[in-house]
Amino acid sequence: DSAVDRAHARGLKVIAMPTYSPNWTRADTRTTDKSPPDDLNQYAQFAEAAVRRYGSNSTITKYRNNPVLHWELWNEPNLRCFWQDPSNQKPEWVNTGGGCLNPLGYGPSVGKYTELLELPYPRMKLADPNAFVMVGGLAVPIDISPRDFVAGIYYVHFATPEYASKPVPFDGVAVHVYSSGSHPLTYQSWNAFVQVDDVRRVMESISPAEGQKPIWGTEASYSTVCSSSYKVCDIAEPTSDGKQPQSTLL
Protein backbone atom coordinates (compact mmCIF):
# COMPACT_ATOMS: atom_id res chain seq x y z
CA ASP A 1 0.00 0.00 0.00
CA SER A 2 2.74 2.45 0.92
CA ALA A 3 4.42 2.26 -2.51
CA VAL A 4 1.15 2.91 -4.34
CA ASP A 5 0.21 5.68 -1.91
CA ARG A 6 3.58 7.42 -2.34
CA ALA A 7 3.30 7.25 -6.12
CA HIS A 8 -0.22 8.66 -6.10
CA ALA A 9 0.82 11.43 -3.70
CA ARG A 10 3.32 12.56 -6.34
CA GLY A 11 0.84 12.41 -9.17
CA LEU A 12 2.37 9.28 -10.68
CA LYS A 13 0.59 6.43 -12.41
CA VAL A 14 1.74 2.94 -11.42
CA ILE A 15 2.76 0.05 -13.64
CA ALA A 16 2.51 -2.82 -11.20
CA MET A 17 4.73 -5.87 -11.65
CA PRO A 18 3.87 -9.09 -9.83
CA THR A 19 7.25 -10.74 -10.10
CA TYR A 20 9.59 -13.35 -8.61
CA SER A 21 8.72 -16.11 -6.17
CA PRO A 22 9.01 -16.31 -2.36
CA ASN A 23 11.06 -19.17 -0.93
CA TRP A 24 7.98 -20.97 0.36
CA THR A 25 6.62 -21.39 -3.19
CA ARG A 26 9.63 -23.51 -4.29
CA ALA A 27 10.46 -26.93 -2.86
CA ASP A 28 14.02 -26.90 -4.20
CA THR A 29 15.89 -24.66 -1.77
CA ARG A 30 18.81 -24.34 -4.19
CA THR A 31 16.76 -22.21 -6.56
CA THR A 32 16.49 -18.42 -6.40
CA ASP A 33 13.47 -16.15 -6.45
CA LYS A 34 13.94 -15.91 -10.23
CA SER A 35 12.65 -19.47 -10.61
CA PRO A 36 8.88 -19.68 -11.10
CA PRO A 37 6.80 -21.02 -8.21
CA ASP A 38 6.14 -24.76 -8.25
CA ASP A 39 2.40 -24.10 -8.42
CA LEU A 40 1.64 -21.29 -10.84
CA ASN A 41 -1.88 -21.10 -9.45
CA GLN A 42 -0.36 -19.40 -6.41
CA TYR A 43 1.03 -16.70 -8.68
CA ALA A 44 -2.37 -16.35 -10.38
CA GLN A 45 -4.09 -16.00 -7.01
CA PHE A 46 -1.66 -13.28 -5.97
CA ALA A 47 -2.05 -11.35 -9.22
CA GLU A 48 -5.83 -11.52 -8.97
CA ALA A 49 -5.76 -10.37 -5.35
CA ALA A 50 -3.54 -7.42 -6.28
CA VAL A 51 -5.95 -6.35 -9.04
CA ARG A 52 -8.89 -6.67 -6.67
CA ARG A 53 -7.13 -4.47 -4.12
CA TYR A 54 -5.74 -1.74 -6.37
CA GLY A 55 -7.93 -1.88 -9.49
CA SER A 56 -11.12 -0.17 -10.63
CA ASN A 57 -13.33 -2.40 -8.49
CA SER A 58 -11.35 -2.05 -5.28
CA THR A 59 -13.37 -1.98 -2.08
CA ILE A 60 -10.94 0.71 -0.86
CA THR A 61 -12.18 4.11 -1.99
CA LYS A 62 -8.78 5.74 -2.55
CA TYR A 63 -7.71 2.96 -4.90
CA ARG A 64 -11.08 2.71 -6.66
CA ASN A 65 -10.91 6.44 -7.40
CA ASN A 66 -7.31 6.27 -8.62
CA PRO A 67 -6.83 2.68 -9.72
CA VAL A 68 -3.74 0.81 -10.83
CA LEU A 69 -4.66 -0.31 -14.34
CA HIS A 70 -1.38 -1.45 -15.90
CA TRP A 71 0.26 -4.74 -15.02
CA GLU A 72 3.48 -6.39 -16.21
CA LEU A 73 3.67 -10.11 -15.47
CA TRP A 74 7.23 -10.85 -14.35
CA ASN A 75 10.42 -9.05 -15.33
CA GLU A 76 12.60 -9.92 -18.35
CA PRO A 77 11.44 -13.53 -18.64
CA ASN A 78 13.51 -14.01 -21.81
CA LEU A 79 16.77 -13.77 -19.83
CA ARG A 80 18.45 -16.44 -17.71
CA CYS A 81 19.09 -13.82 -15.05
CA PHE A 82 15.38 -13.32 -14.36
CA TRP A 83 13.61 -16.52 -15.43
CA GLN A 84 15.35 -19.65 -14.22
CA ASP A 85 13.38 -22.73 -15.24
CA PRO A 86 14.64 -26.22 -14.36
CA SER A 87 13.48 -27.42 -17.79
CA ASN A 88 16.21 -25.36 -19.47
CA GLN A 89 19.63 -25.87 -17.88
CA LYS A 90 23.13 -25.23 -19.22
CA PRO A 91 26.35 -25.53 -17.18
CA GLU A 92 27.75 -22.39 -18.80
CA TRP A 93 24.84 -20.39 -17.42
CA VAL A 94 25.87 -20.88 -13.78
CA ASN A 95 26.11 -17.38 -12.26
CA THR A 96 26.53 -15.71 -15.65
CA GLY A 97 24.51 -13.19 -17.60
CA GLY A 98 24.05 -9.76 -16.08
CA GLY A 99 25.99 -10.55 -12.92
CA CYS A 100 23.01 -12.39 -11.48
CA LEU A 101 22.84 -15.25 -9.02
CA ASN A 102 22.07 -18.42 -10.97
CA PRO A 103 23.63 -21.30 -9.03
CA LEU A 104 22.03 -24.08 -11.09
CA GLY A 105 22.42 -22.64 -14.58
CA TYR A 106 18.68 -22.52 -15.28
CA GLY A 107 17.33 -20.36 -18.09
CA PRO A 108 14.23 -19.01 -19.82
CA SER A 109 11.37 -21.22 -20.99
CA VAL A 110 8.68 -19.83 -23.28
CA GLY A 111 6.36 -22.72 -22.46
CA LYS A 112 6.46 -22.24 -18.72
CA TYR A 113 6.16 -18.48 -19.00
CA THR A 114 3.14 -18.82 -21.29
CA GLU A 115 1.52 -20.95 -18.60
CA LEU A 116 2.23 -18.17 -16.11
CA LEU A 117 0.38 -15.75 -18.44
CA GLU A 118 -2.54 -18.04 -19.13
CA LEU A 119 -3.48 -18.71 -15.52
CA PRO A 120 -3.78 -15.18 -14.07
CA TYR A 121 -4.95 -13.33 -17.18
CA PRO A 122 -8.66 -14.29 -17.13
CA ARG A 123 -8.79 -13.89 -13.37
CA MET A 124 -7.26 -10.41 -13.54
CA LYS A 125 -9.67 -9.34 -16.30
CA LEU A 126 -12.62 -10.69 -14.34
CA ALA A 127 -11.51 -8.79 -11.25
CA ASP A 128 -11.12 -5.59 -13.28
CA PRO A 129 -12.13 -5.48 -16.97
CA ASN A 130 -10.12 -2.25 -17.23
CA ALA A 131 -6.88 -3.99 -16.28
CA PHE A 132 -4.25 -3.77 -19.02
CA VAL A 133 -2.03 -6.85 -18.75
CA MET A 134 1.35 -6.93 -20.47
CA VAL A 135 3.93 -9.56 -21.24
CA GLY A 136 6.69 -8.83 -18.72
CA GLY A 137 9.33 -6.46 -20.10
CA LEU A 138 11.42 -8.35 -22.64
CA ALA A 139 15.08 -7.47 -22.57
CA VAL A 140 18.26 -7.42 -24.60
CA PRO A 141 18.14 -10.43 -26.94
CA ILE A 142 20.90 -12.50 -25.36
CA ASP A 143 19.16 -15.79 -24.57
CA ILE A 144 15.85 -15.50 -26.46
CA SER A 145 15.12 -12.41 -28.54
CA PRO A 146 11.94 -10.44 -27.83
CA ARG A 147 10.68 -11.39 -31.30
CA ASP A 148 11.22 -15.13 -30.78
CA PHE A 149 9.82 -14.99 -27.27
CA VAL A 150 6.56 -13.35 -28.39
CA ALA A 151 6.32 -15.76 -31.33
CA GLY A 152 6.79 -18.62 -28.85
CA ILE A 153 3.97 -17.36 -26.63
CA TYR A 154 1.61 -17.33 -29.60
CA TYR A 155 2.74 -20.80 -30.66
CA VAL A 156 2.22 -22.31 -27.21
CA HIS A 157 -1.14 -20.58 -26.84
CA PHE A 158 -2.60 -21.80 -30.12
CA ALA A 159 -0.97 -25.24 -29.97
CA THR A 160 -2.34 -26.03 -26.51
CA PRO A 161 -5.99 -27.21 -26.67
CA GLU A 162 -6.91 -25.86 -23.24
CA TYR A 163 -5.64 -22.39 -24.22
CA ALA A 164 -6.40 -22.14 -27.93
CA SER A 165 -10.11 -21.39 -27.56
CA LYS A 166 -9.44 -18.62 -25.04
CA PRO A 167 -8.26 -15.04 -25.66
CA VAL A 168 -4.55 -14.49 -26.13
CA PRO A 169 -3.42 -13.86 -22.53
CA PHE A 170 -2.09 -10.32 -22.83
CA ASP A 171 -3.28 -6.87 -23.87
CA GLY A 172 0.15 -5.56 -24.81
CA VAL A 173 3.85 -6.35 -24.80
CA ALA A 174 6.42 -4.55 -22.66
CA VAL A 175 9.95 -4.28 -24.05
CA HIS A 176 13.04 -2.95 -22.29
CA VAL A 177 14.52 -1.00 -25.15
CA TYR A 178 18.17 -0.84 -24.13
CA SER A 179 20.54 -0.35 -27.03
CA SER A 180 23.45 -1.71 -24.96
CA GLY A 181 26.20 0.62 -26.09
CA SER A 182 25.06 1.01 -29.68
CA HIS A 183 23.19 3.89 -31.22
CA PRO A 184 19.48 3.08 -30.77
CA LEU A 185 18.93 2.91 -34.53
CA THR A 186 21.98 0.76 -35.31
CA TYR A 187 20.89 -2.82 -35.91
CA GLN A 188 22.87 -5.15 -33.69
CA SER A 189 21.87 -8.55 -32.35
CA TRP A 190 21.92 -7.17 -28.81
CA ASN A 191 20.07 -3.90 -29.51
CA ALA A 192 16.51 -4.33 -28.21
CA PHE A 193 15.42 -0.83 -29.27
CA VAL A 194 15.80 -1.39 -32.98
CA GLN A 195 14.20 -4.85 -32.80
CA VAL A 196 10.81 -3.61 -31.59
CA ASP A 197 9.69 -3.65 -35.23
CA ASP A 198 10.43 -7.39 -35.31
CA VAL A 199 8.03 -7.89 -32.40
CA ARG A 200 5.39 -5.83 -34.19
CA ARG A 201 5.70 -7.94 -37.33
CA VAL A 202 5.17 -11.13 -35.34
CA MET A 203 2.02 -9.69 -33.76
CA GLU A 204 0.69 -8.51 -37.12
CA SER A 205 1.27 -11.96 -38.59
CA ILE A 206 -1.18 -13.47 -36.09
CA SER A 207 -4.20 -11.28 -36.83
CA PRO A 208 -5.15 -7.63 -37.36
CA ALA A 209 -6.36 -7.48 -33.76
CA GLU A 210 -3.06 -8.77 -32.38
CA GLY A 211 -1.19 -6.38 -34.64
CA GLN A 212 -3.03 -3.46 -33.05
CA LYS A 213 -2.03 -4.33 -29.49
CA PRO A 214 0.37 -1.77 -27.98
CA ILE A 215 4.07 -2.31 -27.39
CA TRP A 216 5.29 -0.37 -24.37
CA GLY A 217 8.90 0.57 -23.72
CA THR A 218 8.94 0.25 -19.93
CA GLU A 219 12.71 0.54 -19.45
CA ALA A 220 15.23 2.29 -21.68
CA SER A 221 18.75 3.68 -21.85
CA TYR A 222 21.47 4.62 -24.30
CA SER A 223 24.67 3.93 -22.40
CA THR A 224 27.36 6.57 -21.88
CA VAL A 225 29.98 3.83 -21.49
CA CYS A 226 30.75 0.63 -23.33
CA SER A 227 30.50 -1.94 -20.58
CA SER A 228 28.44 -5.09 -20.49
CA SER A 229 28.56 -8.23 -18.41
CA TYR A 230 27.06 -9.97 -21.42
CA LYS A 231 30.22 -9.09 -23.40
CA VAL A 232 28.27 -7.38 -26.16
CA CYS A 233 28.83 -3.77 -27.05
CA ASP A 234 29.70 -1.67 -30.06
CA ILE A 235 32.79 0.11 -28.78
CA ALA A 236 32.52 2.89 -31.34
CA GLU A 237 29.10 4.12 -30.37
CA PRO A 238 28.57 4.87 -26.65
CA THR A 239 26.83 8.20 -26.30
CA SER A 240 27.74 11.21 -24.20
CA ASP A 241 25.79 12.64 -21.31
CA GLY A 242 24.76 15.52 -23.57
CA LYS A 243 23.46 13.34 -26.38
CA GLN A 244 21.70 10.81 -24.17
CA PRO A 245 18.53 12.90 -23.65
CA GLN A 246 18.26 13.36 -27.42
CA SER A 247 18.05 9.60 -27.91
CA THR A 248 15.04 9.48 -25.61
CA LEU A 249 13.07 11.41 -28.22
CA LEU A 250 13.56 8.53 -30.67
PDB file of all heavy atoms in Angstrom, residues 131-145:
ATOM      1  N   ALA A 131      -8.290  -3.641 -16.455  1.00  0.00           N
ATOM      2  CA  ALA A 131      -6.877  -3.985 -16.284  1.00  0.00           C
ATOM      3  C   ALA A 131      -6.222  -4.204 -17.645  1.00  0.00           C
ATOM      4  O   ALA A 131      -6.777  -4.865 -18.531  1.00  0.00           O
ATOM      5  CB  ALA A 131      -6.743  -5.237 -15.431  1.00  0.00           C
ATOM      6  N   PHE A 132      -5.036  -3.640 -17.786  1.00  0.00           N
ATOM      7  CA  PHE A 132      -4.249  -3.774 -19.023  1.00  0.00           C
ATOM      8  C   PHE A 132      -3.031  -4.621 -18.674  1.00  0.00           C
ATOM      9  O   PHE A 132      -2.144  -4.185 -17.954  1.00  0.00           O
ATOM     10  CB  PHE A 132      -3.828  -2.393 -19.526  1.00  0.00           C
ATOM     11  CG  PHE A 132      -3.068  -2.404 -20.824  1.00  0.00           C
ATOM     12  CD1 PHE A 132      -3.733  -2.470 -22.038  1.00  0.00           C
ATOM     13  CD2 PHE A 132      -1.680  -2.350 -20.825  1.00  0.00           C
ATOM     14  CE1 PHE A 132      -3.032  -2.467 -23.234  1.00  0.00           C
ATOM     15  CE2 PHE A 132      -0.973  -2.356 -22.013  1.00  0.00           C
ATOM     16  CZ  PHE A 132      -1.647  -2.416 -23.219  1.00  0.00           C
ATOM     17  N   VAL A 133      -3.022  -5.852 -19.170  1.00  0.00           N
ATOM     18  CA  VAL A 133      -2.035  -6.848 -18.754  1.00  0.00           C
ATOM     19  C   VAL A 133      -0.995  -7.028 -19.857  1.00  0.00           C
ATOM     20  O   VAL A 133      -1.348  -7.320 -21.008  1.00  0.00           O
ATOM     21  CB  VAL A 133      -2.711  -8.192 -18.441  1.00  0.00           C
ATOM     22  CG1 VAL A 133      -1.680  -9.211 -17.975  1.00  0.00           C
ATOM     23  CG2 VAL A 133      -3.796  -7.998 -17.378  1.00  0.00           C
ATOM     24  N   MET A 134       0.271  -6.865 -19.486  1.00  0.00           N
ATOM     25  CA  MET A 134       1.352  -6.932 -20.469  1.00  0.00           C
ATOM     26  C   MET A 134       2.276  -8.121 -20.238  1.00  0.00           C
ATOM     27  O   MET A 134       2.509  -8.532 -19.090  1.00  0.00           O
ATOM     28  CB  MET A 134       2.198  -5.657 -20.408  1.00  0.00           C
ATOM     29  CG  MET A 134       1.501  -4.422 -20.933  1.00  0.00           C
ATOM     30  SD  MET A 134       2.562  -2.952 -20.857  1.00  0.00           S
ATOM     31  CE  MET A 134       2.338  -2.479 -19.135  1.00  0.00           C
ATOM     32  N   VAL A 135       2.800  -8.653 -21.331  1.00  0.00           N
ATOM     33  CA  VAL A 135       3.933  -9.563 -21.240  1.00  0.00           C
ATOM     34  C   VAL A 135       5.042  -8.821 -20.507  1.00  0.00           C
ATOM     35  O   VAL A 135       5.351  -7.668 -20.817  1.00  0.00           O
ATOM     36  CB  VAL A 135       4.411  -9.978 -22.645  1.00  0.00           C
ATOM     37  CG1 VAL A 135       5.702 -10.782 -22.563  1.00  0.00           C
ATOM     38  CG2 VAL A 135       3.332 -10.774 -23.363  1.00  0.00           C
ATOM     39  N   GLY A 136       5.646  -9.467 -19.519  1.00  0.00           N
ATOM     40  CA  GLY A 136       6.690  -8.828 -18.720  1.00  0.00           C
ATOM     41  C   GLY A 136       7.822  -8.314 -19.592  1.00  0.00           C
ATOM     42  O   GLY A 136       8.209  -8.965 -20.574  1.00  0.00           O
ATOM     43  N   GLY A 137       8.370  -7.155 -19.257  1.00  0.00           N
ATOM     44  CA  GLY A 137       9.328  -6.457 -20.098  1.00  0.00           C
ATOM     45  C   GLY A 137      10.421  -7.355 -20.664  1.00  0.00           C
ATOM     46  O   GLY A 137      11.242  -7.881 -19.923  1.00  0.00           O
ATOM     47  N   LEU A 138      10.433  -7.513 -21.974  1.00  0.00           N
ATOM     48  CA  LEU A 138      11.419  -8.352 -22.643  1.00  0.00           C
ATOM     49  C   LEU A 138      12.688  -7.549 -22.877  1.00  0.00           C
ATOM     50  O   LEU A 138      12.642  -6.385 -23.263  1.00  0.00           O
ATOM     51  CB  LEU A 138      10.843  -8.882 -23.961  1.00  0.00           C
ATOM     52  CG  LEU A 138       9.550  -9.687 -23.796  1.00  0.00           C
ATOM     53  CD1 LEU A 138       9.003 -10.107 -25.159  1.00  0.00           C
ATOM     54  CD2 LEU A 138       9.765 -10.908 -22.907  1.00  0.00           C
ATOM     55  N   ALA A 139      13.817  -8.193 -22.666  1.00  0.00           N
ATOM     56  CA  ALA A 139      15.079  -7.468 -22.572  1.00  0.00           C
ATOM     57  C   ALA A 139      15.997  -7.756 -23.749  1.00  0.00           C
ATOM     58  O   ALA A 139      15.629  -8.412 -24.723  1.00  0.00           O
ATOM     59  CB  ALA A 139      15.770  -7.835 -21.263  1.00  0.00           C
ATOM     60  N   VAL A 140      17.206  -7.240 -23.607  1.00  0.00           N
ATOM     61  CA  VAL A 140      18.264  -7.420 -24.597  1.00  0.00           C
ATOM     62  C   VAL A 140      18.280  -8.863 -25.098  1.00  0.00           C
ATOM     63  O   VAL A 140      18.279  -9.800 -24.298  1.00  0.00           O
ATOM     64  CB  VAL A 140      19.625  -7.065 -23.961  1.00  0.00           C
ATOM     65  CG1 VAL A 140      20.752  -7.293 -24.952  1.00  0.00           C
ATOM     66  CG2 VAL A 140      19.614  -5.612 -23.491  1.00  0.00           C
ATOM     67  N   PRO A 141      18.277  -9.073 -26.405  1.00  0.00           N
ATOM     68  CA  PRO A 141      18.145 -10.431 -26.944  1.00  0.00           C
ATOM     69  C   PRO A 141      19.428 -11.247 -26.825  1.00  0.00           C
ATOM     70  O   PRO A 141      20.130 -11.494 -27.803  1.00  0.00           O
ATOM     71  CB  PRO A 141      17.774 -10.179 -28.410  1.00  0.00           C
ATOM     72  CG  PRO A 141      18.327  -8.836 -28.721  1.00  0.00           C
ATOM     73  CD  PRO A 141      18.253  -8.040 -27.458  1.00  0.00           C
ATOM     74  N   ILE A 142      19.713 -11.681 -25.611  1.00  0.00           N
ATOM     75  CA  ILE A 142      20.897 -12.499 -25.363  1.00  0.00           C
ATOM     76  C   ILE A 142      20.546 -13.984 -25.392  1.00  0.00           C
ATOM     77  O   ILE A 142      21.171 -14.776 -26.093  1.00  0.00           O
ATOM     78  CB  ILE A 142      21.524 -12.135 -24.002  1.00  0.00           C
ATOM     79  CG1 ILE A 142      21.928 -10.666 -23.982  1.00  0.00           C
ATOM     80  CG2 ILE A 142      22.732 -13.029 -23.715  1.00  0.00           C
ATOM     81  CD1 ILE A 142      22.885 -10.260 -25.085  1.00  0.00           C
ATOM     82  N   ASP A 143      19.551 -14.382 -24.637  1.00  0.00           N
ATOM     83  CA  ASP A 143      19.161 -15.793 -24.573  1.00  0.00           C
ATOM     84  C   ASP A 143      18.055 -16.096 -25.593  1.00  0.00           C
ATOM     85  O   ASP A 143      18.209 -16.962 -26.441  1.00  0.00           O
ATOM     86  CB  ASP A 143      18.710 -16.148 -23.159  1.00  0.00           C
ATOM     87  CG  ASP A 143      19.838 -15.958 -22.145  1.00  0.00           C
ATOM     88  OD1 ASP A 143      20.982 -16.278 -22.482  1.00  0.00           O
ATOM     89  OD2 ASP A 143      19.560 -15.476 -21.032  1.00  0.00           O
ATOM     90  N   ILE A 144      16.940 -15.395 -25.482  1.00  0.00           N
ATOM     91  CA  ILE A 144      15.852 -15.501 -26.463  1.00  0.00           C
ATOM     92  C   ILE A 144      15.463 -14.077 -26.840  1.00  0.00           C
ATOM     93  O   ILE A 144      15.193 -13.255 -25.967  1.00  0.00           O
ATOM     94  CB  ILE A 144      14.631 -16.244 -25.887  1.00  0.00           C
ATOM     95  CG1 ILE A 144      15.018 -17.629 -25.354  1.00  0.00           C
ATOM     96  CG2 ILE A 144      13.552 -16.394 -26.967  1.00  0.00           C
ATOM     97  CD1 ILE A 144      13.880 -18.383 -24.687  1.00  0.00           C
ATOM     98  N   SER A 145      15.442 -13.770 -28.112  1.00  0.00           N
ATOM     99  CA  SER A 145      15.122 -12.406 -28.535  1.00  0.00           C
ATOM    100  C   SER A 145      13.669 -12.080 -28.214  1.00  0.00           C
ATOM    101  O   SER A 145      12.821 -12.977 -28.132  1.00  0.00           O
ATOM    102  CB  SER A 145      15.359 -12.248 -30.040  1.00  0.00           C
ATOM    103  OG  SER A 145      14.371 -12.954 -30.774  1.00  0.00           O
TER     104      SER A 145
END
